[in-house]
């Protein structure tokens, strides 16, 4: 081939490549025919609905809703439909501090400088920085049952639980996801500004970005005419509506509700390096840090797909390499909803997918399909599911519980199990006897206790309509007795980071004692030259032991009193026939019972 012909061939190839590239640059061409794929995903994954938006530079180039925001009423999902975005909220909370601490302060300041009520069990609060909170490297594991099951609107109450949580790693030694550390960040912002976290996010981001539909409260969301219901899928692939989960207390970790069109405004800000319509909303130096690797999540080696690797964490974002392109993303999951919010800085591309299905793979699948199409990457069938084919056999294998010991009985009558039980790292449970049935309340959840064996009971959840869960496998609660035979605690397996069941101590409730009976206990009691003095103060009996302390007691009736601050210790008063004053008191201790006679008459 002559030089001229070679050049002509090269020029023709270049022209064809340029032509093809020119054809693909149109958003209509890049995302053409995806609607049919998305509708297939609705069917394949049994999804009620989802919404998608794609941002390129400063423009929304694609936005659409698929399926239904309300399956029962057949109301369609739209680009303006509101969904709970769960942990995709975290980037807002971290960015809030990135902005508030921009002038003369640092993300490497100690967190207690701004939040003096933050304590850790081993005192590491003196070393923990704001950046440590942002990057999940404080050494605390998830402890999600603490806020999810024992839910409360009180942020102060939730934060106080942290000091009772057992760290499972040294500071900065390991990445361990923890929602409480994002609660703490929101509270840092509240302490700096004297405004609520919600007010701060609205003032700093929602208003300047014109995110007018975004809110923080499921009650407000429920009133919106274009809000989605939340759904889950049961074992038989039926789509079922579930109630909204009120996450107000833990709000900074995941309470934002939004639409794909509103989140598109948020993505424009990040793609533009912190500017929106030419105005700086976030400092560019914060954007650089937040979208850069701050902590290794895992090894992040290539797996099934060799061009997908790296697993790191920035500030409220997860960092990875997606098929040769730098990806910044954070997902979100909360009851009835799943989300994915991502952007590709080098490609000036942003994608948001919100769906009304719990713990759904759909946002990730749709994001990947869009990225592949937009960037002209080789096709991967992300919608191909690796699920085990359902058995065609109608007969079910009979399951035998080999753990359960048959023909046993509880050690106490039902009433003895009732009361309030508490754990400082989690919260309280309440057990009550209603219509001869034991029922337990854990946060906002209710369950029926049915005897399993010995002092172990199964907890079968009771739904809003009063229906009891009949699943074969349910959680259990194990009651424990003290040396005196009384129920003193209960343990529940809550996937605690320690690997052990969580113990809830039964709170001792004081019984009312008539005034004249109280007075019969007052006086001096003596043993081997040591005088023990019993007094009454504001209706509470105290026992003053020389060389120890003045013990406060809790009246239990029948002349019995527990020592308030000593587990397993109690006293009992003894009366002689027809005596108006107690003649002796007994100290009942784990190592024995000791009698002390009255010294005054």
């Amino acid at each position: 081939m002559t030089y001229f012909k070679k050049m002509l061939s090269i020029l023709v190839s270049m022209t064809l490549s340029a032509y093809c590239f020119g054809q693909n640059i149109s958003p209509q061409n890049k995302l053409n025919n995806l609607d049919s794929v998305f509708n297939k995903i609705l069917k394949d994954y049994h999804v009620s609905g989802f919404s998608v938006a794609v941002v390129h530079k400063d423009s929304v180039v694609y936005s659409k809703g698929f399926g239904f925001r309300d399956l029962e009423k057949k109301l369609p999902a739209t680009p303006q439909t509101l969904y709970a975005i769960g942990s995709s909220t975290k980037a807002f909370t971290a960015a809030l501090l990135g902005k508030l601490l921009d002038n003369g302060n640092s993300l490497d300041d100690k967190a207690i400088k701004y939040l003096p009520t933050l304590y850790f069990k081993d005192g590491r609060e003196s070393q923990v920085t704001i950046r440590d909170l942002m990057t999940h490297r404080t050494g605390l594991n998830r402890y999600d049952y603490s806020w999810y099951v024992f839910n409360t609107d009180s942020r102060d109450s939730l934060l106080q639980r942290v000091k009772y949580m057992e760290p499972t790693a040294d500071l900065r030694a390991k990445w361990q996801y923890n929602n409480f550390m994002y609660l703490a960040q929101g509270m840092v912002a509240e302490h700096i500004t004297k405004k609520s976290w919600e007010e701060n996010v609205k003032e700093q981001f929602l208003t300047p970005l014109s995110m007018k539909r975004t809110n923080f409260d499921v009650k407000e969301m429920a009133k919106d005419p274009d809000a989605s219901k939340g759904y889950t899928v049961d074992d038989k692939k039926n789509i079922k509506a579930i109630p909204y989960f009120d996450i107000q207390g833990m709000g900074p970790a995941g309470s934002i509700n939004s639409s794909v069109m509103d989140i598109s405004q948020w993505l424009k800000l990040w793609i533009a390096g912190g500017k929106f319509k030419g105005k700086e909303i976030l400092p560019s130096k914060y954007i650089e840090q937040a979208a850069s690797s701050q902590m290794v999540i895992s090894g992040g080696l290539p797996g099934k797909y060799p061009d997908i690797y790296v697993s790191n964490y920035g500030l409220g974002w997860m960092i990875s390499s997606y098929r040769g392109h730098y990806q910044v993303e954070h997902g979100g999951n909360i009851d009835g909803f799943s989300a994915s919010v991502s952007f590709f800085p080098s490609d000036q591309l942003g994608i948001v997918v919100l769906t009304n299905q719990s713990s759904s793979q759909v946002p990730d699948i749709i994001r990947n399909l869009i990225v592949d199409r937009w960037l002209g990457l080789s096709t991967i069938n992300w919608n191909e599911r690796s699920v085990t084919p359902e058995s065609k056999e109608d007969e079910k294998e009979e399951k035998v519980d080999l753990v359960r010991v048959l023909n046993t009985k509880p050690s106490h009558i039902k009433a003895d199990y009732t009361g309030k039980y508490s754990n400082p790292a989690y919260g309280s449970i309440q057990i009550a006897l209603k219509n001869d049935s034991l029922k337990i309340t854990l946060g906002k959840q209710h369950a029926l206790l049915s005897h399993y064996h010995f002092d172990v009971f199964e907890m079968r959840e009771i739904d809003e309509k009063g229906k009891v869960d009949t699943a074969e496998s349910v959680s259990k609660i194990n009651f424990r007795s003290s040396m005196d035979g009384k129920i003193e605690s209960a343990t529940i397996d809550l996937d605690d980071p320690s690997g052990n069941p969580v113990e809830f101590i039964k709170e001792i409730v004081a019984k009312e004692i008539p005034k004249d009976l109280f007075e019969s206990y007052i006086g001096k009691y003596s043993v081997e030259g040591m005088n023990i003095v019993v007094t009454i103060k504001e209706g509470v009996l105290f026992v003053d032991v020389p060389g120890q302390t003045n013990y406060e007691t809790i009246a239990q009736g029948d002349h019995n009193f527990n020592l308030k601050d000593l587990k397993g210790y109690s006293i009992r008063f003894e009366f002689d026939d027809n005596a108006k004053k107690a003649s002796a008191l007994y100290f009942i201790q784990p190592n024995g019972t000791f009698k002390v006679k009255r010294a005054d008459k």
Side-chain angles (χ1 to χ4, degrees), residues 189-208:
E190 292 176 341
H191 278 69
I192 292 172
T193 64
K194 308 305 178 186
K195 298 177 183 178
S196 71
W197 169 79
E198 291 85 352
E199 290 172 319
N200 280 314
V201 172
K202 184 175 183 180
E203 180 181 302
Q204 300 294 339
F205 301 127
L206 303 189
T207 298

Side-chain angles (χ1 to χ4, degrees), residues 13 39-40 54-55 63 69 80-81 132 136 151 166 226 231 359 408 424 525 578:
S13 297
N39 280 312
K40 186 175 187 302
V54 180
V55 177
S63 62
R69 67 180 188 268
Q80 295 291 356
T81 297
D132 294 330
H136 299 293
N151 189 20
E166 193 73 46
D226 196 359
Y231 295 92
S359 303
T408 66
Y525 299 78
N578 302 318

Side-chain angles (χ1 to χ4, degrees), residues 571-590:
I571 61 172
R572 184 175 70 246
F573 290 94
E574 181 181 71
F575 287 78
D576 292 336
D577 293 340
N578 302 318
K580 294 183 178 181
K581 291 184 179 182
S583 58
L585 68 83
Y586 291 87
F587 281 91
I588 304 169
Q589 305 174 179

Side-chain angles (χ1 to χ4, degrees), residues 452-471:
Y452 180 70
H453 63 200
F454 302 111
D455 279 336
V456 178
F457 291 75
E458 293 180 321
M459 299 189 294
R460 298 190 173 277
E461 189 173 353
I462 303 171
D463 65 18
E464 292 181 323
K465 297 179 180 179
K467 185 178 179 180
V468 178
D469 184 7
T470 58

